[in-house]
Amino acid sequence: MASEQTQESQFQDTPGGWASRLKREFETARKALKDWHEQADKALKEYLDERDTKCAGDTRWNIYTSDTQTKEAILFGNPPRVDVTRTFADAQDDAARVAGEILERLLNRDIEGQDDSFSQSVEYAHSDREKTAFGLCRVRYVTGEEVEEPGRPAMVDEETGQELAPVVPATTRRPNEQVETDWVHWKSVLWSPCRVWHEVRWLAFENEMTREE
């Protein structure tokens, strides 16, 4: 759905040109998503039962709210489980079987931790999907600080002089690196207009930052 106004050749390959192009792209995306945003706002208003007027004696049961809450509880009662499966289930390949079990246990232990954001973010995204027909999470890699690991000299048999283990050089590693899962509000994301998702050319997220950041 690219128009002649948004062709890459129409903009200079400079920071100013890129800014102009992205501004035009964002304006086009907001225009394409305007109707859906209005419908989603209306759905949320109905969910919260925010009526403009409430007459005395007016009794109304919000079936939409109760139905949505019931579906949310049924479809997301427990955190999802990671299932690591081998591509080729060879009976004699014990190394692959054990490696798969180790990965599965590590991943499940990670997302079930009290300090992990995975379950909460997925729950928020699922709630958005039930109300606005769109829910989104993204993963964020946290590098952590580098730590210097000292090396070790080679291990040698004192009697024979044979090397038992080679020299281990000094290295650096990141013991605190991790992947966080962030919930993205449905109004805080834009994408290029498309017919199906695999035609998306770009995806943009809104981030709240201070002037210093």
Side-chain angles (χ1 to χ4, degrees), residues 88-106:
F88 305 103
D90 297 332
Q92 303 299 324
D93 194 353
D94 290 334
R97 176 181 59 80
V98 173
E101 291 183 0
I102 292 174
L103 285 173
E104 184 173 312
R105 292 179 183 182
L106 286 173

Side-chain angles (χ1 to χ4, degrees), residues 160-178:
T160 63
Q162 182 180 2
E163 185 178 77
L164 302 177
V167 175
V168 177
T171 58
T172 59
R173 65 185 186 94
R174 299 179 184 271
N176 298 320
E177 63 181 348
Q178 55 187 328

Side-chain angles (χ1 to χ4, degrees), residues 4 16 20 25 53 89 112 123 138 162 164-165 189 195 203:
E4 190 166 330
S20 299
E25 293 269 17
T53 58
E112 291 173 356
E123 185 176 1
R138 62 175 179 172
Q162 182 180 2
L164 302 177
V189 58
R195 297 167 297 183
L203 190 67

Side-chain angles (χ1 to χ4, degrees), residues 70-81:
T70 300
K71 289 193 294 184
E72 289 179 1
I74 293 174
L75 297 176
F76 195 84
N78 296 302
R81 297 281 301 175

Side-chain angles (χ1 to χ4, degrees), residues 26-45:
F26 292 165
E27 290 173 351
T28 304
R30 290 189 180 96
K31 184 177 180 180
L33 297 176
K34 180 181 178 181
D35 290 343
W36 166 56
H37 279 186
E38 291 177 352
Q39 293 171 4
D41 282 328
K42 183 178 179 180
L44 287 173
K45 187 176 181 179

